[in-house]
Amino acid sequence: MNEIDWSNIGFGYMKTDYNVRCYYRDGKWGEIETCSDEHINIHMAATCLHYGQEAFEGQKAFRCPDGKIRAFRLEENAARLQSTCRGIMMPEVPTDLFVEMCHRVILLNERFVPPYESGAALYIRPLLIGTGAQVGVHPAEEYLFIIFVTPVGPYFKGGFATTNYVITRDYDRAAPLGTGTYKVGGNYAASLRANMEAHAKGYSCEFYLDSKEKKYIDECGAANFIAIKNGTYITPKSTSILPSITNKSMQQLALDLGLKVECRPIPVEELDTFEEAAACGTAAVLSPIGYIDDPAVGKRYTFSKDGQPGPICEQLYTKFRNIQYGIEPDVHGWVSVIE
Ligand code: PLP
Ligand code: COI
């Protein structure tokens, strides 16, 4: 293997040694298989290709200062995948199977877990697809569950540094009673155009309002929104956003720091009143927001005048990372050592 420049890798795909697979046939899950092929061979009428029976997850594992590898809240990702499965009529992947496959794929690719000092991590990508053939719109009878891993650097450039966002009023990511709470590919397909336009204008990411009334904050393309005001951690309650495991964890850490936590609809004008704001997710971790533009109404909401992250975001970020890296005690039982 050529030397990897761990400190300078981006958030992209890098080939690793193995992936793990499990097939669902005849109403049950089979044995876990180890595979070194990056490709899959599927029927041209597979439901994942035609009717969007596709779900994925994303979590991370870290090489820690004590030399161990730790993974973050795998059971929560398993539970969210199960919720997605119920949402789009796929068989649920049992938690034990999900967790065992994660452990196995991490260990098989141990040499790709970036060193602690690099700040990079091993991204774990579970993927569940309907492989059975259908032409009528029906769920498949056969499925393939794969987990692959790839080393990643920061999702937004600069890591823990402020970046800027733009509200899109021209596109919706998910309908109020649609698939926004599930991690299905269709939601990301719906976001590609807005994301490309935001990048072309120099923004880090596009920002969605609720798709029914365009009155409330929803989330970013691939991360939840959080804000700080008067000692309170505020985050949107919405039927069209992904329930972020990072956000759930940050809420607990905010309570631990003595903040109040509010999960409620956030009117867009309230952005004017926030002292700090950030995007949060596995890939984004906690990415502080400098400003959010709303070009349709000629408005800029600024959260950081000097480009520096706010103090509470910084505390939350540090505490979160320290737990992931086994530096601070894992009082909530969030991390598992992979051995
Ligand atoms: N929102 C969307 C649309 C996402 O794709 C993600 C990433 O998974 C998140 C939020 C953050 O969720 P999590 O913290 O579980 O990674
Ligand atoms: C995440 O895992 O945080 C993501 O949003 C993944 C993204 C690349 C879709």
Side-chain angles (χ1 to χ4, degrees):
M1 173 166 89
N2 292 332
E3 279 298 301
I4 298 173
D5 183 4
W6 296 111
S7 301
N8 290 308
I9 52 176
F11 195 95
Y13 179 79
M14 184 189 296
K15 184 181 183 327
T16 57
D17 291 335
Y18 299 102
N19 56 82
V20 290
R21 306 182 178 200
C22 188
Y23 292 88
Y24 181 90
R25 293 189 185 111
D26 303 321
K28 55 181 190 301
W29 290 101
E31 296 297 314
I32 302 172
E33 298 173 19
T34 298
C35 186
S36 56
D37 191 351
E38 295 166 282
H39 300 94
I40 49 180
N41 186 11
I42 54 171
H43 196 287
M44 63 186 173
T47 60
C48 64
L49 300 176
H50 298 259
Y51 304 129
Q53 268 201 311
E54 181 272 354
F56 68 102
E57 270 302 330
Q59 60 263 16
K60 279 178 177 167
F62 308 89
R63 175 74 66 187
C64 302
D66 63 5
K68 294 182 177 160
I69 300 173
R70 286 179 176 78
F72 190 69
R73 303 198 79 172
L74 301 176
E75 297 77 9
E76 287 287 328
N77 291 88
R80 188 170 63 192
L81 179 60
Q82 289 154 9
S83 158
T84 300
C85 289
R86 293 190 291 276
I88 63 163
M89 301 297 293
M90 303 200 286
E92 291 178 33
V93 177
T95 304
D96 289 352
L97 176 63
F98 184 99
V99 171
E100 189 183 339
M101 286 175 69
C102 288
H103 281 238
R104 199 177 290 192
V105 73
I106 296 166
L107 285 175
L108 284 165
N109 294 290
E110 195 174 340
R111 68 191 184 101
F112 292 96
V113 184
Y116 168 67
E117 297 73 26
S118 67
L122 189 73
Y123 185 70
I124 306 160
R125 172 54 66 86
L127 172 72
L128 175 62
I129 53 174
T131 48
Q134 292 284 5
V135 177
V137 181
H138 305 292
E141 297 199 342
E142 296 192 353
Y143 293 82
L144 168 59
F145 181 52
I146 302 190
I147 308 184
F148 68 82
V149 293
T150 192
V152 294
Y155 193 65
F156 296 124
K157 61 174 183 306
F160 191 66
T162 58
T163 59
N164 305 317
Y165 293 65
V166 63
I167 291 175
T168 172
R169 289 173 179 269
D170 296 334
Y171 308 101
D172 294 320
R173 175 187 168 275
L177 299 178
T179 54
T181 57
Y182 307 128
K183 204 159 168 65
V184 296
N187 297 337
Y188 298 83
S191 77
L192 289 174
R193 180 166 287 277
N195 187 258
M196 186 200 64
E197 290 181 7
H199 282 162
K201 291 185 182 129
Y203 296 101
S204 198
C205 195
E206 79 284 12
F207 207 90
Y208 295 94
L209 302 182
D210 80 279
S211 44
K212 191 170 179 185
E213 298 185 273
K214 294 268 182 267
K215 274 191 183 163
Y216 303 99
I217 301 296
D218 245 2
E219 64 175 338
C220 322
N224 275 183
F225 173 76
I226 71 112
I228 306 293
K229 172 167 84 173
N230 296 334
T232 307
Y233 176 112
I234 305 167
T235 192
K237 186 178 172 68
S238 161
T239 57
S240 49
I241 64 177
L242 193 76
S244 156
I245 295 158
T246 312
N247 191 350
K248 187 173 170 182
S249 312
M250 291 286 177
Q251 289 177 37
Q252 181 60 55
L253 297 182
L255 291 171
D256 295 351
L257 286 175
L259 300 174
K260 286 197 287 250
V261 172
E262 289 178 8
C263 186
R264 58 167 170 83
I266 303 176
V268 62
E269 315 77 57
E270 196 182 347
L271 288 175
D272 249 342
T273 68
F274 293 144
E275 294 150 19
E276 300 179 37
C280 79
T282 297
V285 193
L286 191 68
S287 294
I289 302 178
Y291 56 80
I292 300 176
D293 281 343
D294 191 352
V297 297
K299 184 96 187 127
R300 170 167 294 180
Y301 301 98
T302 303
F303 309 103
S304 168
K305 295 201 175 54
D306 52 5
Q308 292 304 310
I312 295 186
C313 282
E314 184 143 17
Q315 278 184 65
L316 289 169
Y317 175 85
T318 304
K319 201 149 185 72
F320 184 77
R321 300 284 282 177
N322 284 349
I323 293 172
Q324 290 183 322
Y325 283 112
I327 295 168
E328 284 194 39
D330 175 27
V331 293
H332 301 292
W334 289 342
V335 292
S336 34
V337 174
I338 308 292
E339 50 200 0

